[in-house]
Amino acid sequence: MTPRTMAARLTRGRQRAERRDTLLVLLARIDSLSPTEAALLVEYVHAELDASDHLRATIQGQQTAMQDAADRTRAAEAAIVEAERDRDQAVAAVVNVRAFLERRAHNVAVAPIDVLAALDEHQEQT
C-alpha cells in the first residue's frame, strides 16, 4: 500500500469516526434538535449509509476475487495431477518398450510393429 493510499484511508477513517461521534451526540439529543442539527443528522446518516454500502461492495468484490483465485488453484492442481498421471503412464510405456527391446537384443531386426505391440501390452496392463 502506498503512503498516499494509507493517508487517504486514515483520513477517511478519522472522518468516519467524527461522523459517528456526532451521530451519537445528536441521537442522544434527538428530541431537542434544531433544524440545523436535524439536517446534519440526516447528512451524517446518509454518509454512513453510503460508506457502509461501499464497504459491502468492496468486500463482495474481494470475496469474488478470492473465490476466483481458489477456483484457479483447484483447476491448476487438477491439471498437475493429470500431467503427473500422463507422465507416469509414459514412463511405464518406455520401461515396457525398453524391456521388450532388451529381450529382443539378440535379434537385430526389430520391426516397428513389434514395438507397437509392446506398447499395446502396456495399455492393456493399465
Side-chain angles (χ1 to χ4, degrees):
M1 185 175 301
T2 66
R4 187 180 318 186
T5 305
M6 183 59 111
R9 287 182 66 197
L10 291 173
T11 299
R12 285 193 307 269
R14 278 192 299 273
Q15 290 170 342
R16 212 172 16 259
E18 289 171 6
R19 283 195 308 267
R20 287 182 191 277
D21 290 343
T22 303
L23 278 173
L24 293 173
V25 169
L26 293 173
L27 289 173
R29 298 177 35 211
I30 199 157
D31 291 336
S32 61
L33 292 181
S34 70
T36 304
E37 291 172 328
L40 185 61
L41 178 61
V42 168
E43 178 186 334
Y44 278 11
V45 167
H46 285 291
E48 286 301 317
L49 291 173
D50 290 345
S52 67
D53 290 345
H54 176 71
L55 179 61
R56 275 198 271 311
T58 299
I59 289 171
Q60 181 60 41
Q62 289 174 347
Q63 287 174 339
T64 300
M66 287 175 22
Q67 184 62 49
D68 290 347
D71 292 345
R72 284 191 305 274
T73 300
R74 278 192 290 280
E77 289 170 348
I80 289 168
V81 168
E82 183 179 349
E84 288 172 342
R85 186 187 62 237
D86 291 348
R87 178 212 52 212
D88 293 344
Q89 288 176 348
V91 167
V94 168
V95 167
N96 199 33
V97 169
R98 181 176 286 153
F100 169 78
L101 292 175
E102 287 173 0
R103 287 193 309 267
R104 303 285 301 230
H106 300 302
N107 184 354
V108 176
V110 174
I113 193 75
D114 294 333
V115 174
L116 293 175
L119 286 172
D120 287 342
E121 285 177 25
H122 168 72
Q123 292 289 23
E124 291 171 3
Q125 293 171 0
T126 57

